[in-house]
Amino acid sequence: DAGITQSPRHKVTETGTPVTLRCHQTENHRYMYWYRQDPGHGLRLIHYSYGVKDTDKGEVSDGYSVSRSKTEDFLLTLESATSSQTSVYFCAISGGNEQYFGPGTRLTVT
Amino acid sequence: GESVGLHLPTLSVQEGDNSIINCAYSNSASDYFIWYKQESGKGPQFIIDIRSNMDKRQGQRVTVLLNKTVKHLSLQIAATQPGDSAVYFCAEPKFTGNQFYFGTGTSLTVIP
């Protein structure tokens, strides 16, 4: 998985609780991304980062925030989880043209 | 707006046969495309890419063809094996924040 880890790999949480997902890379790549993947929608970009403390919104950013205090770590936070945020979340990194993906986090909001 | 789509959501082939997965794009200015493979329970894995100055690019058992006239690209897998069973995506970089458009994917099932 090109030196990308995600934690946790699985999580079940209740509606209204905060959740933080972590992405860690060992490749020293500049760009990092958070996607969600749902049936019928493919991969949709939530937020991305183009450097430490430099982030921007993707197409489905509502209800999510991110932080990148170090090159290697990119955190995705759901401030108050909702059932519509039940999904599989993928982190990706890029140092050039291709994006390399992590193994994913399956999040269930009950 | 730009879009990257796939013609068929599912494809079943016999083991040993060749597979062809298609992808259409709408932005004629797109100059780079990637194919990803995603196995069940895993993240997408880079397979092969192609630039618009090429019509064809070959990898190990895979070939990508690009037809810029009709804005279409295809992924051909030779001698398909059970391990090729997966969802295949095409992706097109936006070149804005190094973002990408992803197709919804074609699910390939290899029948032994």
Side-chain angles (χ1 to χ4, degrees):
Chain A
D1 288 325
I4 310 169
T5 57
Q6 293 185 229
S7 59
R9 295 294 313 281
H10 302 271
K11 186 170 181 67
V12 179
T13 192
E14 294 184 348
T15 298
T17 60
V19 177
T20 295
L21 308 183
R22 180 179 182 243
C23 177
H24 180 79
Q25 63 150 327
T26 59
E27 306 296 320
N28 201 36
H29 282 337
R30 176 184 178 189
Y31 291 93
M32 297 186 75
Y33 310 79
W34 277 107
Y35 292 92
R36 60 178 291 173
Q37 187 176 47
D38 305 287
H41 289 279
L43 287 161
R44 292 184 291 175
L45 183 65
I46 305 171
H47 282 279
Y48 69 98
S49 169
Y50 47 95
V52 174
K53 298 186 179 179
D54 291 324
T55 65
D56 206 348
K57 297 179 180 180
E59 60 183 301
V60 290
S61 60
D62 287 349
Y64 302 94
S65 62
V66 290
S67 65
R68 191 170 178 198
S69 59
K70 298 184 289 185
T71 298
E72 58 265 36
D73 290 325
F74 194 32
L75 303 180
L76 176 70
T77 297
L78 290 65
E79 300 291 346
S80 178
T82 67
S83 59
S84 65
Q85 293 175 312
T86 293
S87 187
V88 179
Y89 291 85
F90 288 101
C91 175
I93 65 174
S94 177
N97 289 319
E98 309 99 66
Q99 286 193 1
Y100 298 98
F101 287 83
T105 294
R106 182 172 294 276
L107 176 67
T108 302
V109 183
T110 61
Chain B
E2 301 95 339
S3 67
V4 180
L6 289 162
H7 291 312
L8 292 173
T10 61
L11 176 66
S12 295
V13 298
Q14 289 290 140
E15 182 178 356
D17 287 351
N18 296 334
S19 302
I20 299 176
I21 300 170
N22 296 304
C23 186
Y25 63 96
S26 59
N27 185 0
S28 58
S30 296
D31 62 356
Y32 178 68
F33 303 90
I34 306 173
W35 280 99
Y36 286 93
K37 172 186 180 182
Q38 186 175 21
E39 297 176 87
S40 181
K42 296 184 179 180
Q45 178 184 12
F46 174 89
I47 303 174
I48 192 169
D49 58 2
I50 189 168
R51 295 196 175 278
S52 61
N53 61 350
M54 305 170 69
D55 296 326
K56 177 180 180 180
R57 190 173 187 201
Q58 290 185 294
Q60 188 176 12
R61 283 200 307 116
V62 295
T63 300
V64 56
L65 300 178
L66 176 61
N67 185 330
K68 296 178 286 293
T69 301
V70 295
K71 293 184 288 188
H72 178 272
L73 66 158
S74 65
L75 178 71
Q76 300 181 359
I77 304 173
T80 312
Q81 302 169 359
D84 294 326
S85 292
V87 175
Y88 291 82
F89 300 93
C90 57
E92 172 187 3
K94 292 183 185 180
F95 294 113
T96 300
N98 222 40
Q99 297 179 53
F100 291 77
Y101 295 106
F102 291 91
T104 52
T106 291
S107 178
L108 174 66
T109 300
V110 180
I111 303 167

